[in-house]
Amino acid sequence: MIKLDQEEATEVEVLVDVARKVRRRTLALISEAGYGFLGPCFSCVDVIVCLGWSAATRCFATESNDHANLILSKGHAAAALYAALAEYDGDGEQEVYAEFGSPLQAHPNSARLPRVMVSSGSVGQAVPVAVGVALAEKLHGRRNRTYVLSGDGELQAGAVWEALLAAASQKPQPNLVVIVDANGFQSAGRVPTLESTKSMVETIVSRFVEIDGNDISQVLQALNDFEQHEGLGAIWCWTRRGAGLKGFNDEWPMSTIGSSELVSQWLRDLEEGR
Amino acid sequence: MSGAGVSLPLRSGTQFDQLSSLLDATLDQPDVVFISADASGSFRLSPQLRQSQGKVIEVGIAEGSAVGIAYGMSLRGYKPFVVGFSTFTVLRGLEAIRSYVCYHNADVTILGGMSGLSNSRDGFMHQSTDDVGILSAVGGIRVLTPSDQSSLELTMREVMRDQGPKFLRLYRTVIELGDDAVSLSAWTPVAVRLDFGSDFAVVSYGHVLQEGAAAVRSLRALGKRGRLVEVLQLEPLDHRALLSAIGAARLVISVEDHQIKSGLGGRLKAVLNEQGENACKLVSVGLQEGQYGSSGRLPDLLAGCSIDAAAIEQAVSTASTEHHRKNF
């Protein structure tokens, strides 16, 4: 049982409510577009919210450059990132998702939406970019961390390992933290490589923790911890696909959205915080 | 075993030896960094450069990631150079080149060493004979192909000035065009390097420009007076500058150690076709579709692939005879 002080407890309460609002916005984006990936978006909402809002990381801050960087490598969770940014920026009306001409491309495109730091979508490819950003921050003499949010299936891509080995071999290591959204699923079904890739990550990085990635208090505590340590690290987040959507289960196909009745029910649930 | 009487083979210099002092000039430019894919030794990065804190970042045998890492550093204000074998960097790094560097118009330069057939002894897997075609298919990246010291120096100056994606095609060989070659004094995408007349024009780039120079000189002795045109920038190709350099020549020979179709030969064909009825005759010397290199000493390999001075002379002679027959 994690013990929180009053300030931390308040931050958890606030972010639990923010995560609910972000989930509602994410569902609205995807259902209005009739396109998107509910499972992998909802599994990582809590992590995105903690990275964006927490006092430790403040990844969404725009007023200075001393905050942490967030790079969403699992680009198919773009709708969750867009929803979180819109919530943070207080945007009343969101752009449409994955429609022609919209800055909210199905996978993040920083050329169309500069608020997103790095384009992604081709799984694995944004991890080397994150290594480059973290190396640059180190060379500039800045202490801020770079967090790269990766999927568990994504860890099958070779670019991830080339990049992590390159980062691990630097002296000093860049301040890079890989966050793995381990929801256990990839496009073709269950991820068969979970245990292998987990142990590979654990072997390469200097600091490794395993948490429940849908428990905001655990995510916050991990981020606070990593902000105190230099070098290459990883937070392995066990998450649930479609977390926060009642009735969403392991059999749900990756890009299926659900009936309009079900979506309406989910929207009501999220509105009322059920 | 005693070394008496046994002379070690001389190791010829590489274009990176020529480049070394130019790269050292970046020591006082803190924004310039080199991302090396296990290539800082092979490519003769100087001890000063390698020992300068944070200047050379060795990422190991990871060309695909080296390009992505370079792009990431460019997002935070650095001007990164990726150092690696041309073929591995282009083939393995292509996705990052396309989706990050080119699409986002990033100031990332790839120093592609051992290009063409210049890495002759290592065989086809190490030789880069389709890099220009692959990169031009992606688009949005300047493909620069310097040859001798003067063209290399001017190209490097251009690279330092430019803020977009760039690929430098570099070679294992040191390139010298001879004392009678025109030394370049200002950057230009196309240049006439030897000018004995306009009977024909040999158009080439990179280290095989030497073969072109030798052929142009030999043919002059036989009474055929031609010119040697160097293409310093293959992509995008400056059509007007190229046509101006070819001038009044009615016979053009393209020469390259690259696939003809996706290289200079294919481009020249398109450029000359635009001239309609006024188009001059084109003969392309280079690798045919499906032809790859192999191991061998460079002169043997170039001769075996018919990309040497003798093959160029033969091409000019044959084409001139055909032209003569047609007109009389």
Side-chain angles (χ1 to χ4, degrees):
Chain A
M1 181 81 178
I2 296 164
K3 286 187 78 177
L4 303 169
D5 63 25
Q6 188 54 45
E7 202 175 312
E8 287 171 329
T10 308
E11 189 173 31
V12 170
E13 278 171 26
V14 168
L15 294 192
V16 165
D17 193 50
V18 170
R20 175 185 63 78
K21 290 175 181 166
V22 170
R23 281 192 163 87
R24 194 185 182 290
R25 280 182 183 263
T26 306
L27 180 59
L29 269 180
I30 290 175
S31 59
E32 281 164 25
Y35 185 80
F37 312 103
L38 289 175
C41 278
F42 277 66
S43 64
C44 66
V45 163
D46 303 298
V47 170
I48 289 175
V49 164
C50 288
L51 284 166
W53 270 263
S54 82
T57 50
R58 298 185 300 115
C59 290
F60 291 164
T62 53
E63 71 278 7
S64 65
N65 63 2
D66 63 345
H67 55 81
N69 302 306
L70 164 59
I71 294 169
L72 181 74
S73 191
K74 49 170 287 180
H76 44 292
L81 179 63
Y82 299 152
L85 284 168
E87 182 66 29
Y88 187 90
D89 293 341
D91 293 348
E93 218 170 288
Q94 274 186 262
E95 297 271 4
V96 290
Y97 173 66
E99 297 287 358
F100 183 73
S102 170
L104 308 187
Q105 299 282 291
H107 296 83
N109 180 338
S110 62
R112 300 279 187 98
L113 186 68
R115 190 78 171 88
V116 171
M117 189 177 169
V118 173
S119 299
S120 60
S122 176
V123 288
Q125 291 293 321
V127 178
V129 178
V131 172
V133 169
L135 283 168
E137 298 285 21
K138 194 87 179 173
L139 272 181
H140 278 308
R142 297 183 191 139
R143 293 195 68 249
N144 55 339
R145 271 70 179 153
T146 297
Y147 293 89
V148 58
L149 178 53
S150 165
D152 46 4
E154 182 174 5
L155 297 182
Q156 292 159 3
V160 172
W161 305 105
E162 281 191 359
L164 291 186
L165 287 169
S169 64
Q170 303 304 313
K171 288 177 185 161
Q173 289 180 344
N175 292 327
L176 176 71
V177 182
V178 182
I179 301 184
V180 181
D181 176 19
N183 63 29
F185 283 84
Q186 61 187 116
S187 183
R190 286 185 189 277
V191 177
T193 48
L194 271 178
E195 288 307 317
S196 313
T197 51
K198 183 160 82 73
S199 84
M200 286 160 73
V201 171
E202 197 168 357
T203 303
I204 292 171
V205 301
S206 304
R207 188 170 186 82
F208 180 90
V209 298
E210 222 174 312
I211 61 168
D212 178 344
N214 293 129
D215 180 336
I216 280 182
S217 63
Q218 288 193 38
V219 178
L220 280 177
Q221 194 182 50
L223 294 180
N224 284 329
D225 175 55
F226 274 80
E227 283 293 316
Q228 305 307 314
H229 293 88
E230 302 269 322
L232 179 63
I235 305 173
W236 189 276
C237 295
W238 291 109
T239 60
R240 292 171 297 286
R241 195 166 166 260
L245 296 176
K246 280 181 192 162
F248 196 99
N249 58 43
D250 291 352
E251 309 309 318
W252 205 278
M254 184 167 172
S255 54
T256 297
I257 296 163
S259 66
S260 56
E261 293 77 18
L262 184 56
V263 168
S264 298
Q265 182 60 51
W266 281 339
L267 287 170
R268 279 196 298 276
D269 289 348
L270 289 167
E271 186 64 47
E272 293 158 13
R274 288 189 294 207
Chain B
M1 196 172 109
S2 162
V6 178
S7 60
L8 291 170
L10 286 174
R11 189 169 183 190
S12 60
T14 73
Q15 205 177 24
F16 264 88
D17 290 315
Q18 292 180 307
L19 192 63
S20 185
S21 61
L22 301 175
L23 299 184
D24 282 354
T26 67
L27 276 165
D28 59 1
Q29 291 174 266
D31 60 328
V32 173
V33 289
F34 297 89
I35 315 297
S36 162
D38 195 28
S40 52
S42 304
F43 294 93
R44 314 281 208 277
L45 299 188
S46 72
Q48 295 96 307
L49 211 59
R50 293 163 73 176
Q51 285 157 18
S52 175
Q53 179 64 38
K55 197 73 175 168
V56 178
I57 297 167
E58 184 56 73
V59 299
I61 305 166
E63 287 82 357
S65 295
V67 179
I69 289 170
Y71 170 71
M73 295 195 77
S74 78
L75 292 178
R76 283 293 181 262
Y78 283 94
K79 186 179 178 74
F81 287 70
V82 177
V83 184
F85 278 60
S86 186
T87 189
F88 305 137
T89 311
V90 171
L91 294 177
R92 296 182 184 196
L94 188 61
E95 186 166 4
I97 291 172
R98 179 243 190 214
S99 296
Y100 286 120
V101 176
C102 294
Y103 184 83
H104 295 86
N105 193 32
D107 188 357
V108 171
T109 303
I110 295 163
L111 299 178
M114 316 291 182
S115 295
L117 296 171
S118 69
N119 190 18
S120 65
R121 302 302 284 269
D122 280 337
F124 85 99
M125 276 203 182
H126 283 68
Q127 292 160 359
S128 184
T129 54
D130 34 28
D131 48 306
V132 173
I134 291 167
L135 292 174
S136 54
V138 168
I141 185 166
R142 290 177 75 183
V143 177
L144 302 162
T145 53
S147 61
D148 66 349
Q149 187 75 36
S150 73
S151 105
L152 186 63
E153 280 179 20
L154 291 167
T155 301
M156 268 307 286
R157 255 186 251 172
E158 180 63 11
V159 164
M160 297 311 293
R161 187 197 63 77
D162 187 275
Q163 296 187 325
K166 296 163 291 293
F167 174 80
L168 249 74
R169 197 170 199 256
L170 300 165
Y171 305 90
R172 187 162 198 143
T173 40
V174 165
I175 301 151
E176 285 167 358
L177 296 180
D179 294 339
D180 53 348
V182 177
S183 187
L184 303 178
S185 56
W187 161 256
T188 174
V190 180
V192 176
R193 303 301 303 271
L194 285 174
D195 192 1
F196 302 136
S198 56
D199 292 347
F200 65 91
V202 171
V203 183
S204 185
Y205 59 95
H207 75 128
V208 291
L209 202 69
Q210 288 181 136
E211 301 297 321
V216 170
R217 285 196 195 94
S218 293
L219 288 162
R220 183 193 190 193
L222 298 172
K224 293 189 173 70
R225 305 174 72 82
R227 60 180 51 181
L228 178 68
V229 176
E230 175 178 9
V231 178
L232 290 88
Q233 177 176 297
L234 257 173
E235 189 67 30
L237 188 60
D238 187 329
H239 293 201
R240 209 156 67 166
L242 187 57
L243 289 171
S244 168
I246 289 168
R250 307 306 301 152
L251 172 62
V252 175
I253 315 292
S254 68
V255 180
E256 60 195 318
D257 57 345
H258 186 278
Q259 301 284 330
I260 292 170
K261 191 174 170 185
S262 62
L264 174 64
R267 280 172 177 69
L268 258 174
K269 189 175 176 184
V271 171
L272 296 178
N273 280 345
E274 285 172 8
Q275 305 307 302
E277 287 180 2
N278 297 321
C280 42
K281 183 175 173 59
L282 170 70
V283 179
S284 290
V285 170
L287 294 173
Q288 303 294 333
E289 204 167 330
Q291 187 184 7
Y292 297 91
S294 69
S295 281
R297 292 175 192 272
L298 186 58
D300 297 336
L301 182 57
L302 291 178
C305 293
S306 299
I307 312 176
D308 62 349
I312 300 166
E313 288 169 41
Q314 183 63 46
V316 172
S317 298
T318 306
S320 302
T321 308
E322 283 172 7
H323 183 72
H324 187 75
R325 278 198 197 122
K326 260 189 194 172
N327 287 290
F328 295 97

